[in-house]
Amino acid sequence: MIRTLVALCLALAAGAAQAQAAACGGVVYDDRDRDGMRDATEPGLTGVRVSDGISIATTGRDGRYQLPANGERARFVIKPSGFDVLRAANGLPAFWRRSADGACPDFGLVRASKAPAELDVLVFADTQTKSMTDVDYYARDIVEPLRRAGAGRAHLGMTLGDIVDDHVSLYPAVTEVTTRLGLPWLHVPGNHDVDAGAASDEDALGSFHRHFGPDTFAWEETQADFLMLDDVVTLPGQRPAYVGGLREDQFAFIEAYLATRDPSRLLVVGVHIPFFPVGGESFRTADRERLFAMLTRVPRVLLLSAHGHVQRHVFHDAATGWHGTGPLHEYNVGAACGAFWSGVPNGDGIPDSTMSDGTPNGTARLQVGADGHYRLAWQPAGVDATAGAFTRAMRLHAPRALRRGAYPAWGVYANVWMGTPDMRVEFRVDGGEWKPMKRVEQPDPWLLAENVRDDEAEALRGYDRSPEADASTHLWRGALPTTLAAGLHRVEVRAFDPWQGLQTADTSYRLVDATP
């Protein structure tokens, strides 16, 4: 009997020792002097979550946490609202660590000043630089104008993948430009952020991980929570070489995170590959339905995606596997590089880079109120405002002259950058009655005209010509009247933007008397 008890005690002790060896611990503390090192006067913080991208541990009263020992995975703190993290040497938030010996790191958090009434987030997609020339375009066309305009009023920034165009050696240069904005900046990878020669999806993001940290993580602000996911499954040697989807370890993290967050708060999910299908199963159907089933527990969700170098809004329903109480909004964000830094250069030598759906290159802005309701806006960059009637909200295209009395077969077109399928867009002529414009899915005539100008030019008008115009999902048409008096007529267009309110633009056309 005694021998049995001794054996049992030894077995329990061995099991405890083995369990201890299979785990590592660290501490999250209040970094009061902001030096990144804990001293005796800096207490541990209770209730902060730390993760290895699979499991989530919550700190106890002394600020300590334990995670499974796994030297191959980075550990990161899920930044809680009310706190900031210090910046690393490259200017990015130091919320993650990877140690060679597999030890769990300590994390210092800094108490934030009073939270703003509205969270302001800059959203970049597809900066997609392939050379230092492109990095210069990115700096002068995107970042510097935002900095001069007071981007400091924003509180957070993110890039939704394709940071570079297969040239991961440019990461430091791109980061140096991005961090000029002075904001904590989050990144997810895109299909062009994969290491050359990667033999599998597991080793495709080595460079990304070294520069930006985990590819899947969460970050919380007072007004909203952010779930950032790598949704590019690399398929070396196949065509296509990637597909949208999620890994098992990511599903484990999502499950753990959703179980620990306040479900009443807005959840913003940031990815690269859109969730909606584009030309077949661009995102694995089973993965999308599995994720959407998990998200039905969250009353308020906004999906942000990139990749397409066009701009659109999709409202998911049962047809795409969403079975929530209302439509699930996905904002597919236009590209910062537009049409891959192509088109005719402006006076500063920066390519026009209008996208194939007629959207100017630029950036998005997400603003979230204290109640979790959000507003979205598109900020064009590097567009020649003289090329058609152009505002920050839309561009108009209309013929300059029509024959008076001709059949009214010609129209004014409004490409409304943030247009949704059910948006109300109207026009009027010479201050008359407002009339509805019809939404049409066809190429933007302004870009079609630019294609013709490229075709007719006997020499290149820029390094790369503008893309061929493709059908736009946010284009409206109104037939111009031809029975008015001869002369110039003013056309006004108004769009009822659900987030930014009434948006207007105007142009003109001339009616000319003619005989056969």
Side-chain angles (χ1 to χ4, degrees), residues 13-272:
Q18 186 176 9
Q20 185 69 25
C24 66
V27 64
V28 181
Y29 62 94
D30 186 350
D31 192 359
R32 293 175 174 174
D33 58 9
R34 298 172 176 257
D35 67 349
M37 296 182 292
R38 189 187 186 195
D39 60 42
T41 64
E42 295 175 329
L45 293 171
T46 305
V48 179
R49 288 155 295 169
V50 183
S51 179
D52 57 3
I54 302 176
S55 306
I56 293 178
T58 303
T59 58
R61 286 187 176 182
D62 57 359
R64 296 195 173 277
Y65 71 92
Q66 274 202 342
L67 282 170
N70 189 339
E72 297 178 0
R73 302 189 69 90
R75 277 80 173 193
F76 57 90
V77 62
I78 298 176
K79 189 200 79 66
S81 62
F83 288 88
D84 293 329
V85 295
L86 296 176
R87 309 288 171 83
N90 63 0
L92 296 177
F95 71 101
W96 63 278
R97 302 279 194 284
R98 178 183 281 111
S99 59
D101 60 1
C104 282
D106 294 344
F107 292 101
L109 296 176
V110 177
R111 292 187 183 273
S113 55
K114 183 179 178 181
E118 186 174 63
L119 179 70
D120 196 345
V121 185
L122 293 178
V123 183
F124 290 7
D126 300 270
T127 47
Q128 204 140 355
T129 56
K130 59 184 175 296
S131 66
M132 286 303 296
T133 298
D134 288 355
V135 175
D136 175 62
Y137 294 153
Y138 170 55
R140 293 192 292 130
D141 200 34
I142 299 294
V143 171
E144 289 305 321
L146 285 171
R147 189 180 62 82
R148 290 193 300 269
R153 291 195 298 269
H155 310 104
L156 181 67
M158 64 179 67
T159 300
L160 299 176
D162 282 2
I163 304 157
V164 297
D165 191 5
D166 300 322
H167 292 75
V168 297
S169 62
L170 292 174
Y171 281 157
V174 174
T175 297
E176 189 280 322
V177 172
T178 305
T179 53
R180 292 176 193 174
L181 293 168
L183 303 175
W185 208 273
L186 313 179
H187 295 82
V188 294
N191 54 290
H192 287 285
D193 294 317
V194 171
D195 289 340
S200 66
D201 184 55
E202 288 74 19
D203 64 2
L205 295 176
S207 296
F208 178 92
H209 290 151
R210 287 191 294 274
H211 284 87
F212 304 110
D215 58 60
T216 294
F217 61 95
W219 178 284
E220 297 184 348
E221 297 289 348
T222 300
Q223 298 85 351
D225 300 336
F226 296 84
L227 178 60
M228 309 297 285
L229 304 173
D230 165 30
D231 71 338
V232 181
V233 180
T234 304
L235 305 171
Q238 300 185 36
R239 284 188 175 275
Y242 61 90
V243 67
L246 297 170
R247 308 182 304 263
E248 282 299 323
D249 61 301
Q250 293 176 292
F251 280 116
F253 174 75
I254 296 166
E255 183 69 37
Y257 177 62
L258 293 181
T260 62
R261 65 178 293 275
D262 180 351
S264 68
R265 290 161 50 82
L266 173 67
L267 178 66
V268 180
V269 181
V271 297
H272 181 69

Side-chain angles (χ1 to χ4, degrees), residues 397 410-414 427 435-438 476-481 491:
H397 182 86
W410 293 270
V412 57
Y413 289 84
F427 81 112
K435 298 180 179 180
M437 298 181 75
K438 180 182 179 182
W476 280 260
R477 181 187 184 276
L480 291 172
V491 182

Side-chain angles (χ1 to χ4, degrees), residues 429-514:
V429 180
D430 295 338
E433 178 187 357
W434 287 102
K435 298 180 179 180
M437 298 181 75
K438 180 182 179 182
R439 180 174 170 267
V440 291
E441 290 205 12
Q442 64 186 63
D444 184 329
W446 180 90
L447 186 54
L448 283 173
E450 185 71 0
N451 291 163
V452 172
R453 287 187 284 268
D454 279 340
D455 286 344
E456 293 183 340
E458 295 187 0
L460 291 175
R461 301 171 67 221
Y463 179 74
D464 278 324
R465 57 179 288 163
S466 293
E468 289 188 354
D470 202 356
S472 174
T473 60
H474 39 78
L475 187 68
W476 280 260
R477 181 187 184 276
L480 291 172
T482 58
T483 57
L484 305 174
L488 195 66
H489 298 275
R490 183 176 182 232
V491 182
E492 298 172 87
V493 173
R494 64 182 184 183
F496 294 84
D497 186 305
W499 303 290
Q500 300 298 322
L502 185 65
Q503 304 295 311
T504 62
D506 64 89
T507 187
S508 62
Y509 70 109
R510 186 178 298 277
L511 287 176
V512 180
D513 284 321

